């Protein structure tokens, strides 16, 4: 894969946000790459493919005046450098509606992937998710969320500092 590690999205190939099914040309640097990012990337220009290097360096966000995450759809943290890293140098994830990036311990959490309730149970973290569930951002109570997650995936995050797990879900 790439030499780059993303603090807030540690395995974008596993989560499906990086692809490696073909060789493409990075729209930022013009180099061919067999590991690429396709979406989401918010900019006025149409950007099809970005290599991990252009994301990690911030060159893609700078060149296209773009963002990988809407700052209004993320928890607040006190350090502007952390927000800059999240929105300009971290691959996003695809949500059903608007992606939301969770934070904890005054930092953004790491996005781990898409999980159903049974997968959370299999991973041994369902009880912790019950304890950390945030109705304020998911907009439904815990029991309805668990029912929703039986057939649909939620977005799993892990705090980089205390190690707690959190889930975000979206639907209409």
């Amino acid at each position: 894969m790439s030499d780059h590690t993303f603090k807030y999205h540690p395995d974008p190939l596993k989560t499906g946000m990086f692809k490696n099914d073909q060789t493409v040309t990075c729209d930022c640097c013009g180099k061919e790459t067999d590991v690429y990012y396709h979406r989401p990337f918010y900019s006025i220009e149409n950007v099809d493919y970005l290599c991990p290097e252009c994301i990690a360096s911030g060159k893609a966000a700078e060149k296209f005046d773009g963002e990988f995450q809407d700052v209004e759809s993320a928890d607040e943290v006190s350090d502007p450098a952390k927000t800059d890293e999240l929105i300009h140098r971290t691959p996003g994830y695809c949500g059903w509606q608007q992606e939301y990036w969770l934070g904890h311990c005054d930092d953004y959490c790491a996005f781990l992937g898409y999980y159903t309730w049974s997968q959370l149970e299999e991973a041994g973290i369902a009880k912790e998710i019950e304890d950390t569930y945030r109705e304020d951002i998911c907009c439904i109570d815990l029991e309805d969320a668990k029912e929703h997650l039986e057939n649909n995936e939620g977005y799993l995050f892990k705090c980089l500092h205390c190690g707690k797990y959190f889930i975000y879900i979206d639907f209409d």
Side-chain angles (χ1 to χ4, degrees):
M1 174 154 140
S2 142
D3 298 350
H4 301 288
T5 303
F6 297 94
K7 178 179 178 181
Y8 301 122
H9 197 151
D11 198 347
L13 195 57
K14 179 183 173 198
T15 65
M17 297 317 303
F18 279 178
K19 305 285 185 194
N20 63 349
D21 58 353
Q22 63 181 324
T23 299
V24 300
T25 301
C26 175
D27 290 328
C28 183
C29 67
K31 295 178 184 173
E32 286 191 348
T33 181
D34 60 356
V35 176
Y36 63 94
Y37 179 79
H38 182 60
R39 62 184 172 100
F41 183 67
Y42 307 100
S43 84
I44 293 174
E45 292 188 54
N46 186 23
V47 178
D48 291 321
Y49 305 111
L50 295 171
C51 70
E53 291 78 14
C54 287
I55 295 171
S57 68
K59 289 179 183 177
E62 183 178 346
K63 179 176 182 172
F64 298 110
D65 192 24
E67 297 179 343
F68 295 94
Q69 175 65 38
D70 176 10
V71 72
E72 298 300 319
S73 295
D75 282 341
E76 289 187 33
V77 301
S78 62
D79 184 351
K82 292 175 181 177
T83 301
D84 182 61
E85 181 172 351
L86 177 70
I87 66 174
H88 295 125
R89 295 184 306 282
T90 301
Y93 72 94
C94 290
W96 187 74
Q97 290 186 18
Q98 175 64 48
E99 299 82 14
Y100 191 91
W101 211 284
L102 298 176
H104 195 255
C105 294
D106 199 29
D107 199 355
Y108 296 105
C109 294
F111 174 68
L112 301 182
Y114 308 90
Y115 286 77
T116 63
W117 190 256
S118 60
Q119 290 170 320
L120 295 171
E121 288 177 327
E122 288 170 20
I125 58 175
K127 175 64 176 125
E128 185 171 332
I129 293 296
E130 290 177 0
D131 294 341
T132 63
Y133 181 72
R134 292 183 50 195
E135 188 174 333
D136 65 318
I137 58 168
C138 294
C139 300
I140 60 171
D141 67 36
L142 177 61
E143 291 309 310
D144 287 340
K146 287 165 62 174
E147 184 178 319
H148 174 77
L149 288 171
E150 284 302 321
N151 301 309
N152 302 284
E153 295 176 322
Y155 317 110
L156 184 64
F157 292 85
K158 184 177 183 178
C159 179
L160 297 171
H161 302 282
C162 70
K164 288 184 179 180
Y165 290 94
F166 300 86
I167 197 87
Y168 173 68
I169 57 175
D170 64 346
F171 55 94
D172 83 41

